[in-house]
Amino acid sequence: FARLARPTFLIGGFTSAGLGTAVAVFEQRLVDWQAWCVAVVTVAAAQLMTHFANEYFDRNADVYTTRTAFSGGSGVLVAGLLDPRSALRAALAWAAVALGGAVLLDVAGHQKAAWLALAIVVLAWLYSAPPIRLQSRGAGEADTALIVGVLVPLCAASAQGLALERLALWSTAPGAAAMFAMMLGVEVPDIAADARAGKRNLAVRLGLRGTALLGLLATAGVYAGTAADLAAGGPRSLLLECITVPLAAGLVLAFWRVIRDPAEAANVAARGVAFFFLVTLMGLLGWAVPLPWRI
């Protein structure tokens, strides 16, 4: 059951929520720890809901995948180790927890954060659940980038009372672009399996060459977003994102290498996950470094 939950991926949600909290503290010089706890638990619950729902609704496609550490699902349901209904029940239970968190945020007076939390739950459910199944319509990548890269940090920032103004919005751009690039990377190893199962995500629709080109644009978007963030008034410590450039170059090269050598597919997925984590971590640190001198 723990393997089915794929808890490792919760780290990305924590760094994204941490980013939003750091932006709020940078602007307001205070932190509401109770609201922070509710927001983080709500985000984690929505993420776990997504993991379990994805495992349940993708189990037919996962039969054909070659699993890696970051793609192809957990393999638990495919191997028959658990009844698939247990994954659906767990998804619904975590959805209830996430919705309860949204209610608590509303009761505490954080209405914007509550609405953002509700949007996170709804869009996350629509990612893999029928009849919409955004992941099969070429919209799942944008959906995930919007949720993890934009809505999660804004929910955490709103829980601290920060207005959704220009600086807060631009602060989400690098993480959203990195999440989009990561999604493309983790889809590459499963292109054949997803096509066979009728799961027409962007990697299936575009093929390896088109996916590589879009991955290049998404990777470049990280640094364009950072530049816009600095121009909007972000701290100069956001230049910490420059540390991610070698990893970005490695990811782009891996996208192109897999066209000639399909055996590189797992490498693309791993690099995509590492790139997203490092981008969000450097963004978090970029906003957090000045805090001791501002609070």
Side-chain angles (χ1 to χ4, degrees), residues 238-262:
L238 288 174
L239 290 172
L240 282 169
E241 290 289 9
C242 292
I243 293 174
T244 68
V245 170
L247 196 54
L251 175 60
V252 170
L253 289 174
F255 269 121
W256 291 103
R257 280 199 301 266
V258 80
I259 298 173
R260 299 189 302 271
D261 182 9

Side-chain angles (χ1 to χ4, degrees), residues 34-36 38-39 42 100-111 113-114 117 155 159:
Q34 184 177 9
W36 180 85
V38 174
T42 301
V103 171
L104 287 176
L105 288 170
D106 184 67
V107 170
H110 306 293
Q111 282 79 21
C155 179

Side-chain angles (χ1 to χ4, degrees), residues 204-286:
V204 171
R205 292 169 183 266
L206 298 176
L208 289 174
R209 189 171 295 275
T211 301
L213 178 59
L214 192 57
L216 170 62
L217 295 175
T219 303
V222 170
Y223 307 104
T226 301
D229 207 359
L230 288 166
R236 284 178 292 179
S237 48
L238 288 174
L239 290 172
L240 282 169
E241 290 289 9
C242 292
I243 293 174
T244 68
V245 170
L247 196 54
L251 175 60
V252 170
L253 289 174
F255 269 121
W256 291 103
R257 280 199 301 266
V258 80
I259 298 173
R260 299 189 302 271
D261 182 9
E264 288 284 328
N267 188 32
V268 177
R271 286 179 180 273
V273 172
F275 179 62
F276 167 72
F277 172 71
L278 192 60
V279 166
T280 54
L281 179 61
M282 291 301 104
L284 169 57
L285 292 177

Side-chain angles (χ1 to χ4, degrees), residues 129-243:
I132 296 179
R133 284 182 63 82
L134 292 172
Q135 64 173 347
S136 298
R137 300 177 183 272
E141 299 81 2
D143 179 59
T144 307
L146 174 64
I147 293 169
V148 180
V150 179
L151 298 183
V152 167
L154 290 184
C155 179
S158 296
Q160 299 301 317
L162 183 67
L164 302 183
E165 39 75 48
R166 186 177 65 155
L167 187 59
L169 294 173
W170 276 119
S171 71
T172 68
M179 186 67 195
F180 193 89
M182 188 199 89
M183 288 300 297
L184 294 174
V186 298
E187 287 173 356
V188 166
D190 298 333
I191 285 181
D194 288 341
R196 185 174 177 182
K199 183 178 169 183
R200 293 184 53 75
N201 53 36
L202 279 181
V204 171
R205 292 169 183 266
L206 298 176
L208 289 174
R209 189 171 295 275
T211 301
L213 178 59
L214 192 57
L216 170 62
L217 295 175
T219 303
V222 170
Y223 307 104
T226 301
D229 207 359
L230 288 166
R236 284 178 292 179
S237 48
L238 288 174
L239 290 172
L240 282 169
E241 290 289 9
C242 292
I243 293 174

